[in-house]
Amino acid sequence: MADDRSGAPGIGIYIHWPFCLSKCPYCDFNSHVRHAAIDEARFARAFAAEIATTAARAPGRTVSTIFFGGGTPSLMQPTTIAAMLDAIAQHWSVAPDVEVTLEANPTSVEAARFRGYHTAGVNRVSLGVQALDDRALAELGRLHSAREALDAVGIARAVFERYSFDLICARPKQTPQDWARELKTALKEAGEHLSLYHLTIEPDTAFATLHAAGKLKTPDEDTARALYDTTQEVCAAHGLPAYEISNHARAGGECRHNLIYWRGREYAGVGPGAHGRLDIDGERHATATEKRPEAWLSRVENAGHGIVSDAALMREEVADEFLLMGLRLAEGIDIARYAALAGRPLDPGRIAALREHGLVETTADGHLRMTLSGFPVLDAVVADLAA
Ligand SMILES: C[S@@+](CC[C@H](N)C(=O)[O-])C[C@H]1O[C@@H](n2cnc3c(N)ncnc32)[C@H](O)[C@@H]1O
Ligand code: SF4
């Protein structure tokens, strides 16, 4: 996996569009439904202002990736996307091979805008297909059918240089056999990248309420493990091995923006509820903006930014985050970089014990990485190593 196609790592820019047409019952992303029209031009001006303020704090970077996430960024007009891309190019230099990803919901209305997004500068789209079964889609509260989603994938394939789509597995009553069938159908439609998430019951969601009331049952641990094993086998056999715990790609097809997070590189977060990690005067700053869209808008209009927290991280915090994010990757972490960040090496005794249990391995080039059987217990391994 190349570190970055343009040489120097470069900064990633995350732009959060916080609106959706409806709230999916499993989702705890910062997404809001508004019944009145959204003043998109006013929001676009605020995004441009926050981009300018962020660039003034982190000047001189080269932008290597831009990611429009949400919420549902495919509800934006292409002109709004173009305005945000113009603002970025006005304040930073942009790498000639910049990766510009847009998350899109796979409805026909949104797919109709794909050409406009491409003209605006988007070169990669990530579609939230979630399931290829209409009943499962209805249970997930989705507004599209499987046919509609596959049609959107077809349009994405025709319009963009690169595309990916997301599926959610470990859904109620799903068996490994059902999942293997669904995944094989998905792989026929896949390009270079697929994101495959296990359904998580997030606190304060409609699914959390149903789950607590015993009305929604997720697969037990053995079934979840069998679903995970099925994913690894079927995807690897189709040339899309996991490069991250939930993300699969052909070599070179990895999402370069998400690699910035997992490799502990620098990124700016713009828009309501966006998080950033900026390296300022030799310190890593964790930034977060106001989550409520209209409150964020007022802050930006008054102060030029919506940042509500900006903390210089202690070196242990930077190192722990590097460990937590990096071990999600199949390539693992550079052990020497961990030691430089933490000011102390990882405990060799703990590594040896985890290796004996077959959960991690060390490589000739100085990386520590999870094994396939270690990935399902990643959180416990990270907790052990960080202790
Ligand atoms: C920001 S979200 C959604 C993007 C887009 N609005 C959509 O719904 O298609 C990115 C992805 O996270 C995944 N996701 C969200 N909540 C999840 C949950 N509770 N469990 C598993 N996956 C989840 C979904 O696959 C989703 O496509
Ligand atoms: S899953 Fe996507 S469409 Fe559904 S509420 Fe979350 S961000 Fe919005």
Side-chain angles (χ1 to χ4, degrees):
M1 227 190 293
D3 191 47
D4 191 280
R5 291 171 190 177
S6 54
I11 193 171
I13 313 293
Y14 176 76
I15 304 217
H16 191 82
W17 185 254
F19 300 112
C20 292
L21 287 183
S22 66
K23 184 79 188 172
C24 304
Y26 53 85
C27 177
D28 79 337
F29 282 85
N30 186 33
S31 62
H32 304 261
V33 178
R34 295 286 177 265
H35 296 294
I38 291 155
D39 188 343
E40 212 175 295
R42 188 171 165 199
F43 269 94
R45 284 192 295 278
F47 274 90
E50 194 170 60
I51 287 165
T53 311
T54 310
R57 284 200 77 205
R61 315 297 203 264
T62 297
V63 175
S64 61
T65 65
I66 300 168
F67 193 103
F68 292 94
T72 307
S74 53
L75 293 177
M76 276 188 270
Q77 294 303 318
T79 46
T80 304
I81 301 276
M84 295 185 194
L85 291 175
D86 280 351
I88 290 171
Q90 209 184 321
H91 297 286
W92 280 295
S93 63
V94 176
D97 63 348
V98 64
E99 174 189 274
V100 184
T101 304
L102 178 101
E103 265 181 358
N105 283 27
T107 71
S108 53
V109 179
E110 287 151 288
R113 285 192 281 264
F114 283 2
R115 286 195 190 282
Y117 295 139
H118 187 251
T119 306
V122 173
N123 54 30
R124 181 176 184 275
V125 75
S126 173
L127 290 155
V129 169
Q130 320 306 6
L132 292 175
D133 174 278
D134 284 343
R135 200 173 155 160
L137 285 169
E139 282 166 8
L140 289 170
R142 301 294 290 180
L143 300 178
H144 52 86
S145 64
R147 183 69 263 155
E148 209 177 354
L150 290 177
D151 288 347
V153 170
I155 298 172
R157 184 186 299 122
V159 171
F160 296 100
E161 292 84 339
R162 301 170 64 200
Y163 71 97
S164 174
F165 58 92
D166 301 350
L167 293 176
I168 297 181
C169 79
R171 306 187 303 255
K173 301 196 202 83
Q174 193 178 33
T175 66
Q177 292 73 21
D178 295 338
W179 172 233
R181 255 194 312 276
E182 188 173 357
L183 188 53
K184 283 178 189 162
T185 309
L187 281 157
K188 288 195 193 113
E189 302 290 333
E192 56 174 16
H193 193 284
L194 268 186
S195 300
L196 304 169
Y197 301 107
H198 274 218
L199 177 64
T200 315
I201 304 299
E202 303 289 355
D204 303 322
T205 57
F207 268 15
T209 310
L210 288 175
H211 192 251
K215 291 181 183 159
L216 185 144
K217 288 200 171 37
T218 45
D220 60 28
E221 211 175 297
D222 288 347
T223 312
R225 179 60 201 250
L227 288 162
Y228 169 81
D229 291 343
T230 302
T231 303
Q232 307 315 313
E233 280 157 30
V234 174
C235 287
H238 281 75
L240 263 81
Y243 70 100
E244 191 265 351
I245 190 161
S246 306
N247 284 277
H248 295 251
R250 295 187 205 292
E254 300 86 2
C255 173
R256 286 164 52 207
H257 183 81
N258 287 341
L259 281 176
I260 288 181
Y261 302 151
W262 296 320
R263 288 181 173 155
R265 305 289 180 195
E266 188 180 32
Y267 59 95
V270 178
H275 291 253
R277 291 289 181 275
L278 297 177
D279 296 324
I280 299 168
D281 298 333
E283 285 187 308
R284 170 145 289 207
H285 285 245
T287 66
T289 52
E290 163 62 51
K291 286 177 83 168
R292 295 165 300 160
E294 292 75 15
W296 172 85
L297 190 64
S298 321
R299 278 180 181 269
V300 179
E301 288 178 346
N302 290 325
H305 67 81
I307 288 183
V308 289
S309 90
D310 179 352
L313 297 178
M314 314 224 289
R315 65 187 309 173
E316 303 77 45
E317 292 174 312
V318 177
D320 283 352
E321 194 164 86
F322 176 65
L323 187 69
L324 181 75
M325 299 302 276
L327 284 183
R328 298 171 62 118
L329 287 171
E331 69 184 18
I333 59 156
D334 178 344
I335 297 173
R337 187 164 161 223
Y338 175 88
L341 291 171
R344 61 174 171 86
L346 283 164
D347 179 349
R350 285 180 198 269
I351 294 181
L354 291 167
R355 206 169 32 204
E356 262 167 48
H357 283 97
L359 299 176
V360 301
E361 55 197 15
T362 43
T363 67
D365 65 349
H367 275 65
L368 173 74
R369 64 183 186 206
M370 304 299 294
T371 59
L372 270 190
S373 47
F375 268 121
V377 291
L378 173 65
D379 291 348
V381 170
V382 170
D384 188 46
L385 285 169

